[in-house]
Amino acid sequence: MILNDKKIIVIGSEGLIAKKIVDEILHEGGQPICLDLNVATDKNENRYNFDITNFKKVKINLEDIVSSYDKIDGFVNCSYPKTSDWGTQIESVSNKSFIKNLDIQLVSFFNAIKVVTKHMKQFNEGSILSFSSIYGLLANDFNLYKGTEINPPVAYSAIKGGLISLNRYLASFYGKYNIRFNCISPGGVYDKQDQKFVERYEEKVPLGRMARPEDISSLAIFLLSDKSSYITGQNLIVDGGYSVK
């Protein structure tokens, strides 16, 4: 029970990895506060309908949620909004689309953490997690996608690389308030992708398989707990060894 009644906001709580994080927060004695566009608000169940991309309302709505609790100990951003042309080949991606995806994935996180850190500063502690990717560090191997309908979005690498750099800045700035910022960069997570892609990907991974949600959620729980109280500004890679080659 390493979370000891800690109250932890999880944005994008209905996602593949986020659901497992929520389950493990409960298992470890914490209280998840679930925010997602696809849930109905039920304050008794600590669930809130929330759109992180609505910049006009996100500050007010998040402030209202935060103020409903005596203390927020942790914040996890698992949201993954994207435009309708996500996955279009680079030659067909407009400047407008590229900028829009930067806004709704990267700027949205920036807007949210300003609200949460204002609250955490009162208590001089907190742990904030964001999710990048190995593709924030490495180039895509486009051979993995041949013969499939999967096309890696060009904005994805820019967003995930930006999150890693932003994480370092935030950790340095908020360290004096004992607010920790860390980033998790998963490798490919199995989600019923095209079998040709899965087989090629797993051939490149030293551990011989794609990630499972629990491979990532266990690290998230550790970083949210006091057992990681001297870890901040880090980008932790969970990829089965993919990036060592």
Side-chain angles (χ1 to χ4, degrees), residues 128-132 163-172 180-185 219 223 228 230-237:
I128 295 178
L129 297 184
S130 57
F131 277 83
S132 182
L163 275 170
I164 292 170
S165 294
L166 179 60
N167 179 66
R168 295 191 187 103
Y169 178 100
L170 296 170
S172 180
R180 299 184 295 111
F181 281 82
N182 288 293
C183 192
I184 297 176
S185 286
L219 175 59
L223 292 171
S228 61
Y230 201 56
I231 300 175
T232 192
Q234 301 306 304
N235 175 50
L236 290 95
I237 300 170

Side-chain angles (χ1 to χ4, degrees):
M1 307 290 281
I2 64 173
L3 294 183
N4 297 321
D5 296 320
K6 289 184 181 292
K7 297 177 178 65
I8 300 165
I9 291 174
V10 181
I11 296 185
S13 59
E14 293 301 296
L16 181 67
I17 296 172
K19 282 184 176 181
K20 191 62 180 177
I21 291 174
V22 168
D23 288 344
E24 292 201 31
I25 290 171
L26 286 167
H27 180 73
E28 293 296 342
Q31 179 179 324
I33 302 164
C34 300
L35 280 60
D36 198 283
L37 190 59
N38 298 310
V39 300
T41 296
D42 186 340
K43 295 182 178 180
N44 292 327
E45 294 293 328
N46 301 301
R47 292 184 177 276
Y48 299 87
N49 181 267
F50 185 81
D51 182 2
I52 196 172
T53 70
N54 189 332
F55 292 171
K56 291 182 178 179
K57 294 183 178 180
V58 67
K59 182 176 183 292
I60 295 171
N61 291 349
L62 191 53
E63 284 179 342
D64 183 56
I65 293 168
V66 168
S67 66
S68 300
Y69 299 86
D70 55 347
K71 181 186 178 187
I72 299 297
D73 301 282
F75 176 87
V76 185
N77 181 32
C78 289
S79 62
Y80 188 36
K82 47 192 179 292
T83 57
S84 58
D85 62 347
W86 189 252
T88 300
Q89 286 195 357
I90 182 172
E91 293 91 346
S92 301
V93 176
S94 67
N95 289 352
K96 182 179 179 180
S97 172
F98 188 81
I99 293 168
K100 179 67 174 178
N101 281 298
L102 289 174
D103 275 346
I104 62 178
Q105 292 195 42
L106 186 57
V107 179
S108 62
F109 172 67
F110 173 70
N111 288 335
I113 60 97
K114 286 193 291 184
V115 176
V116 176
T117 51
K118 182 179 179 181
H119 170 86
M120 288 179 171
K121 283 167 65 176
Q122 302 174 55
F123 301 93
N124 199 45
E125 66 175 344
S127 177
I128 295 178
L129 297 184
S130 57
F131 277 83
S132 182
S133 164
I134 55 170
Y135 294 133
L137 296 161
L138 307 173
N140 295 83
D141 180 352
F142 287 92
N143 290 322
L144 297 177
Y145 310 100
K146 286 182 178 179
T148 76
E149 295 183 0
I150 305 170
N151 185 56
V154 60
Y156 187 80
S157 293
I159 292 161
K160 296 307 184 182
L163 275 170
I164 292 170
S165 294
L166 179 60
N167 179 66
R168 295 191 187 103
Y169 178 100
L170 296 170
S172 180
F173 181 84
Y174 285 101
K176 57 183 173 286
Y177 303 109
N178 198 35
I179 300 173
R180 299 184 295 111
F181 281 82
N182 288 293
C183 192
I184 297 176
S185 286
V189 181
Y190 181 71
D191 191 21
K192 299 178 182 178
Q193 294 95 330
D194 188 298
Q195 190 60 29
K196 290 192 291 290
F197 165 78
V198 172
E199 290 174 1
R200 291 169 187 160
Y201 188 93
E202 291 183 339
E203 286 178 359
K204 293 192 66 170
V205 178
L207 291 184
R209 64 174 176 85
M210 298 188 76
R212 297 185 286 256
E214 57 267 29
D215 294 322
I216 298 151
S217 60
S218 57
L219 175 59
I221 298 304
F222 170 70
L223 292 171
L224 291 166
S225 78
D226 294 337
K227 290 184 178 293
S228 61
S229 61
Y230 201 56
I231 300 175
T232 192
Q234 301 306 304
N235 175 50
L236 290 95
I237 300 170
V238 187
D239 67 352
Y242 182 100
S243 59
V244 303
K245 289 187 175 183

